[in-house]
Amino acid sequence: MRNVHATAFIRWQGFQYLSKRWTAGPYFYASGQERLVHLVGEGGTLWVVTSHREEEEPRKYRLAFKLQNCRATSPPKEYREFGSYAVRAEDAVLFPENDVTATLLELRFASGRPIADPSKIGLSLLAIRELADVDVARLEEFQQRALTGQVEIPLSPSVERVVGDLPTGQAVTAWEILKRLIELHSEYGEGQASALLNMPGPPAGTSRPVDEWIADVKSLIEPSAVTRLHGRLLILGLARVDDDLGQFLDGEGFLQKVETELRDPVEHCFRPRPDAAPLHVDSPENIDRLGREVFARSLAKRIKEMWQEYREQSDSSFVLHLHGPWGSGKTTLLRLLRQELEPEQVVGGSIATRIGRIWQGSTLRHLLLRVMGKKTEPMDKRTSDWVVVDFNAWRLQRLDPPWWSLLNSVYTESLTAFSANREYWHARRVRAGELGRRLFAGRKDLLVGALVFFALALLAYYPLRSRPVGSQQGLLATLKDNAEALSAVLALLGTLLTASLVMSRSLLSGSSQSAKTFVDHASSPMDLVRRHFKKLVKAIDRPILIAIDDLDRCRREYVVTLLEGIQTLFSNPRVFYVLAADRRWLQACFENSYEEFSGNVQEPGCRLGSLFLEKAVQLSVTVPRLSPEVQKAYWNYLLKPSQSVPARYEDLLEDERERFRGADTQERVFTLMKEEESDPDRRQARQQAAVEQLGTAGVETSTEYFLSPFAPLLDPNPRSMKRFVNAYALQRDLAVLGGLDIAYTDKRKKLALWTLISLRWPLLEEYLIQLASNDAAGPSDEVRSLLQSESVGNVLEGEQVNVQLDIEAVKEFAALRGSESTPGTVA
């Protein structure tokens, strides 16, 4: 990621247009300059300026908006009038009315060529230019003033001294600033300040540079009532900015005493706080505010590996189940997973470069290579170019049959992916093949009939048309004109009749009704559907991931039919399915649909629904739980959405990545995790960097070695062993991101034992969770028999690995399952 900052200009009319469209996102900016994508197309930031001149007033330049974390993309249709190069931003700041003219004249730019002359501002900004570091600092300072309406407030001598004593740029807590201040003024709070110096203070909170703390306090002050920021105001302001510090000082009674020492009432010195929290739309997030991007990246890496291994060993698809109750963030995680799997969209480039891209994907190139005896690039070598299909089951459940909606989604999404990546010839080849299959799907008898009809017509037409030798009048010559007209009419009618029959019973229209008609009239329709899907996947020639969302909102008949179709009709080694749904809903659907078999089909530790789900999916993983640091950060965002993620977090994350870079085994990674860290932001960055490193090849090898002693505790088949390795790796990542302390070997061994139980005996897992929460009413007969079995005892006692799974560990690991949804009846 290159966080380059650059400036761009947009005309006033374009700014007005975009500001209206951006009320609900997404955020695009398009230009005719290729520099746009080269500068900020890989995670950069774009500061966009506009200009509007009122009558009889000098021209004023306005900071319009700021696009953050930009990615190169193809411009949507409605943006193409602005240019053929575009970026899409994950986040944007729209600025209120402002005048940035003076600040623009201060910018030096990376080229060292400032604007200098006010009359040349507009001309200079027409070219997209990279900003220098000092320019970024100036613009961010301007942003702070523009968003808060801040008037510069001078510091008192004591506050200046505190700021000067603390290292510039070094992160400190609000408590450290306050301690330095009350060392100078022990009289604050009626003398209570001196007593605070001997106290441990609040729990370690957020650490930031002192300049940022001061800026936040200034943003709360009412400038019309305050002439300078003195010590007591700073204390009250820090208590408002840092909730932990505020609660601590309030509990000690210190804040009330400081407030009484002010000359003016405290409510006059600070801007009024809003009475209500801002309104948030309950919809999936487009921005990762929960720290799940790193888990999506780890999951994407494992999906690629599992898909590659699985397709070499099996002739069926791979199904991964993403468990979580409603509102736990499954849809957001699917979006992040799509971003990790999809290739970067091809944007820009010279004409020669674009022709080269088209040639690489052209049919002619592949044919020429084959004629020359050279092999074309096989599909399994292009595992980075995934086609990701979004399939919202809840929205499509009204369209019967379910298999048609799924097949049609794969087809349309693949065309969209190829077009976005400028693989136009590939898209046309897939489209032509699919239209042909749909036209004659199950209608080969009509095609043969049409050919026979035309052959007979030709055989009859030419003898009638010929004239016998030596005859003045040929056979039926007197009816020549009528016969020609009659034959033409018959041919036309025959053609129309055949075409109408083919069209009425084909899939060409693309509607669910045509699919129903196809099933009613075709012989062995499901076998034809299976072959149709196989040919479509082969034509797409890419690994395909189908993300099925909202399945836990669908009727039980639809859920069962769709999942059974995935196992039978759409089982293809080139396809990877991700089912995002609450596991209890899926289990209940199968149990209610096959209720009459519940007494006959049993397996120790598993309900009937669990058995069906186990056969339907190869691996199940839970949506990551939120660590305390992430929960607090997200809560603060909900209360103050204007505050974005601190820029220093990216620096912290890069520092932690560098620390873990040399850790090539699981043990070395967790040795680094053992180091104490009081800064919550750095702890979160450390967790993310650790998960990234755990997914590297060397660490994966050491993980498999770590798990080798557990082999005797598994079912003796390769499938269960592979499931265990993958399940443990994902559980370990979830534990790290969730803030669980698994840095020590024995704790990780217990996690492996817990993973075994969740895979083999779901009923025992549920009972142990209830037991750990003191909510167990006693084991059922099934659970009692499990507890008496030797295989379960071996896992619980852990004799093979010299560690026992205790109830305290169960309490911690139970949190990895996430909150369960309320059990209910599935209609």
Side-chain angles (χ1 to χ4, degrees):
M1 180 182 293
R2 297 173 59 243
N3 190 19
V4 175
H5 288 249
T7 58
F9 184 81
I10 187 170
R11 298 188 184 280
W12 180 256
Q13 293 82 358
F15 165 63
Q16 297 289 82
Y17 172 76
L18 292 184
S19 62
K20 291 179 181 178
R21 290 193 59 85
W22 284 3
T23 53
Y27 313 107
F28 288 96
Y29 180 83
S31 169
Q33 301 178 57
E34 191 174 358
R35 285 174 55 80
L36 172 69
V37 297
H38 288 167
L39 285 176
V40 299
E42 298 180 13
T45 301
L46 190 68
W47 301 78
V48 183
V49 176
T50 189
S51 175
H52 183 54
R53 182 176 184 178
E54 299 290 346
E55 294 183 3
E56 300 180 357
E57 289 187 6
R59 180 172 293 278
K60 181 176 68 174
Y61 291 88
R62 169 179 176 173
L63 188 57
F65 46 83
K66 173 186 176 184
L67 302 183
Q68 302 175 105
N69 198 5
C70 298
R71 295 290 180 182
T73 185
S74 297
K77 183 177 180 181
E78 61 270 25
Y79 289 88
R80 290 175 186 167
E81 61 180 285
F82 298 104
S84 57
Y85 303 96
V87 292
R88 174 173 177 166
E90 294 186 3
D91 196 7
V93 178
L94 274 69
F95 294 97
E97 179 68 32
N98 62 79
D99 185 357
V100 76
T101 307
T103 302
L104 292 175
L105 293 173
E106 296 176 355
L107 302 183
R108 309 300 298 178
F109 299 101
S111 62
R113 296 195 300 271
I115 300 175
D117 188 349
S119 64
K120 297 181 180 179
I121 292 179
L123 182 63
S124 178
L125 292 177
L126 288 179
I128 298 173
R129 302 174 66 182
E130 182 178 352
L131 294 168
D133 292 342
V134 66
D135 298 339
V136 176
R138 288 192 179 100
L139 286 174
E140 289 179 343
E141 182 181 352
F142 181 88
Q143 172 183 336
Q144 178 72 15
R145 294 197 304 269
L147 294 180
T148 63
Q150 178 180 326
V151 176
E152 188 57 35
I153 301 173
L155 306 180
S156 70
S158 58
V159 174
E160 280 188 345
R161 182 175 174 181
V162 169
V163 173
D165 289 345
L166 294 170
T168 303
Q170 181 176 326
V172 296
T173 64
W175 171 246
E176 291 175 296
I177 298 174
L178 184 138
K179 284 180 64 178
R180 190 64 56 90
L181 180 62
I182 59 181
E183 285 175 356
L184 301 176
H185 295 281
S186 59
E187 73 278 6
Y188 282 173
E190 300 176 4
Q192 188 181 357
S194 58
L196 292 178
L197 290 173
N198 300 320
M199 295 184 178
T206 303
S207 296
R208 301 163 59 193
V210 64
D211 292 341
E212 293 185 13
W213 287 111
I214 298 296
D216 280 355
V217 172
K218 285 184 177 182
S219 69
L220 302 177
I221 291 176
E222 180 57 58
S224 61
V226 175
T227 58
R228 63 177 184 168
L229 177 58
H230 53 73
R232 291 184 175 87
L233 272 181
L234 179 60
I235 292 173
L236 296 174
L238 289 174
R240 282 166 164 76
V241 173
D242 189 304
D243 293 335
D244 291 335
L245 178 64
Q247 293 175 9
F248 171 74
L249 296 179
D250 187 53
E252 296 296 328
F254 183 68
L255 288 183
Q256 294 86 341
K257 295 177 182 179
V258 172
E259 289 179 3
T260 60
E261 295 174 348
L262 293 177
R263 295 179 181 178
D264 298 318
V266 67
E267 58 269 17
H268 292 175
C269 299
F270 291 92
R271 291 189 171 112
R273 295 181 176 180
D275 294 331
L279 179 65
H280 293 269
V281 180
D282 185 17
S283 60
E285 290 273 8
N286 290 316
I287 304 169
D288 178 34
R289 302 186 188 277
L290 303 178
R292 289 173 174 169
E293 183 178 359
V294 64
F295 181 73
R297 190 176 303 122
S298 174
L299 187 58
K301 178 181 179 297
R302 299 187 193 285
I303 283 175
K304 293 176 182 178
E305 294 173 350
M306 288 186 288
W307 175 84
Q308 187 66 35
E309 294 175 3
Y310 200 79
R311 70 178 300 271
E312 292 174 354
Q313 301 171 3
S314 174
D315 59 352
S316 61
S317 56
F318 192 100
V319 183
L320 183 144
H321 171 222
L322 182 63
H323 163 67
W326 291 358
S328 59
K330 298 188 295 296
T331 302
T332 300
L333 188 56
L334 287 180
R335 289 183 178 178
L336 294 171
L337 183 61
R338 177 176 191 139
Q339 293 174 11
E340 295 297 329
L341 286 175
E342 281 187 331
E344 291 291 334
Q345 292 185 354
V346 178
V347 179
S350 64
I351 295 177
T353 303
R354 296 183 193 179
I355 293 175
R357 291 167 182 160
I358 296 174
W359 170 251
Q360 286 294 319
S362 68
T363 306
L364 180 59
R365 170 180 174 269
H366 288 267
L367 291 175
L368 289 175
L369 287 175
R370 290 182 181 180
V371 170
M372 296 167 62
K374 296 182 178 180
K375 293 183 178 181
T376 58
E377 186 181 30
M379 186 272 300
D380 57 2
K381 298 298 183 182
R382 298 194 296 266
T383 56
S384 61
D385 295 347
W386 284 69
V387 172
V388 181
V389 179
D390 289 326
F391 186 84
N392 190 290
W394 186 49
R395 296 176 185 172
L396 298 172
Q397 68 172 330
R398 302 291 179 186
L399 302 177
D400 285 328
W403 60 263
W404 175 246
S405 299
L406 188 62
L407 186 149
N408 198 48
S409 296
V410 172
Y411 168 59
T412 55
E413 291 271 359
S414 66
L415 294 183
T416 301
F418 294 144
S419 298
N421 209 34
R422 299 181 185 260
E423 296 183 68
Y424 300 122
W425 286 104
H426 197 167
R428 290 170 184 169
R429 188 166 65 248
V430 172
R431 183 184 292 109
E434 180 64 11
L435 292 180
R437 285 188 292 273
R438 292 187 179 192
L439 178 60
F440 299 113
R443 297 292 87 202
K444 291 183 179 179
D445 54 342
L446 290 178
L447 178 60
V448 173
L451 294 175
V452 171
F453 178 86
F454 283 114
L456 292 175
L458 289 173
L459 290 174
Y461 175 74
Y462 281 101
L464 289 173
R465 179 175 178 274
S466 63
R467 177 182 299 176
V469 178
S471 175
Q472 294 291 328
Q473 186 175 357
L475 181 62
L476 299 179
T478 56
L479 301 176
K480 179 179 179 181
D481 294 337
N482 294 333
E484 287 184 350
L486 181 61
S487 64
V489 170
L490 289 175
L492 178 61
L493 290 176
T495 301
L496 293 176
L497 177 62
T498 304
S500 63
L501 287 173
V502 172
M503 291 295 292
S504 66
R505 300 182 184 181
S506 74
L507 301 172
L508 190 62
S509 65
S511 66
S512 59
Q513 184 60 45
S514 65
K516 291 181 181 178
T517 305
F518 166 77
V519 172
D520 293 338
H521 292 86
S523 59
S524 302
M526 294 300 98
D527 189 48
L528 293 173
V529 170
R530 187 184 303 107
R531 293 204 301 266
H532 188 143
F533 184 72
K534 184 176 181 180
K535 291 178 181 178
L536 173 62
V537 172
K538 184 177 180 181
I540 291 173
D541 197 27
R542 294 287 191 278
I544 301 171
L545 182 134
I546 302 178
I548 301 178
D549 198 9
D550 285 342
L551 194 59
D552 49 6
R553 298 187 182 188
C554 299
R555 304 183 309 273
R556 74 175 183 211
E557 296 87 356
Y558 183 86
V559 172
V560 173
T561 302
L562 182 63
L563 293 184
E564 288 179 345
I566 289 174
Q567 292 179 273
T568 55
L569 299 178
F570 300 128
S571 182
N572 189 294
R574 300 185 182 187
V575 181
F576 199 111
Y577 294 90
V578 177
L579 309 178
D582 189 323
R583 71 161 66 90
R584 292 192 173 189
W585 187 275
L586 302 184
Q587 291 172 355
C589 288
F590 281 109
E591 288 174 1
N592 291 343
S593 296
Y594 294 95
E595 186 177 4
E596 63 270 23
F597 299 106
S598 59
N600 301 321
V601 180
Q602 293 181 345
E603 190 169 312
C606 295
R607 293 192 179 95
L608 183 63
S610 300
L611 290 174
F612 271 105
L613 191 59
E614 181 184 352
K615 299 301 180 184
V617 305
Q618 279 70 47
L619 185 63
S620 183
V621 62
T622 303
V623 173
R625 78 164 192 168
L626 304 182
S627 66
E629 293 81 11
V630 174
Q631 289 184 50
K632 183 177 180 181
Y634 189 65
W635 179 248
N636 290 336
Y637 156 71
L638 293 176
L639 297 178
K640 302 175 183 179
S642 61
Q643 294 184 0
S644 58
V645 179
R648 65 180 291 268
Y649 183 77
E650 290 295 330
D651 297 333
L652 292 176
L653 183 57
E654 192 55 41
D655 289 345
E656 292 299 321
R657 285 170 177 162
E658 188 61 35
R659 288 180 68 251
F660 283 99
R661 197 152 285 151
D664 55 357
T665 66
Q666 183 181 228
E667 288 301 325
R668 291 179 181 175
V669 171
F670 283 109
T671 297
L672 294 174
M673 288 287 293
K674 292 177 184 177
E675 298 179 8
E676 294 291 333
E677 180 53 59
S678 59
D679 182 359
D681 289 338
R682 185 172 286 278
R683 278 202 306 272
Q684 182 183 347
R686 181 167 297 177
Q687 292 164 3
Q688 295 196 18
V691 170
E692 290 180 1
Q693 190 64 21
L694 286 169
T696 58
V699 179
E700 288 290 336
T701 301
S702 69
T703 301
E704 293 177 2
Y705 177 78
F706 167 78
L707 294 175
S708 57
F710 294 85
L713 302 176
L714 296 167
D715 286 330
N717 61 74
R719 183 171 183 263
S720 65
M721 296 177 185
K722 195 62 184 177
R723 286 186 68 197
F724 173 61
V725 172
N726 290 326
Y728 167 78
L730 291 172
Q731 289 276 60
R732 179 197 59 196
D733 292 350
L734 290 172
V736 173
L737 292 174
L740 270 64
D741 183 11
I742 60 169
Y744 295 92
T745 304
D746 284 353
K747 196 62 165 293
R748 293 197 299 280
K749 289 182 178 180
K750 294 179 182 181
L751 179 62
L753 294 174
W754 178 251
T755 303
L756 269 172
I757 289 176
S758 64
L759 287 175
R760 297 187 64 181
W761 306 294
L763 282 179
L764 179 60
E765 178 193 27
E766 292 180 11
Y767 172 73
L768 291 177
I769 291 175
Q770 294 173 358
L771 189 65
S773 60
N774 299 318
D775 192 31
S780 63
D781 292 340
E782 290 178 284
V783 172
R784 189 177 292 108
S785 64
L786 281 174
L787 293 174
Q788 294 172 356
S789 70
E790 182 180 358
S791 57
V792 171
N794 290 337
V795 174
L796 292 176
E797 296 299 326
E799 294 182 359
Q800 297 282 346
V801 292
N802 300 318
V803 69
Q804 187 178 27
L805 184 63
D806 54 75
I807 202 68
E808 292 302 321
V810 171
K811 288 181 180 179
E812 289 188 84
F813 300 148
L816 299 178
R817 287 167 49 109
S819 302
E820 297 289 3
S821 59
T822 303
T825 302
V826 182

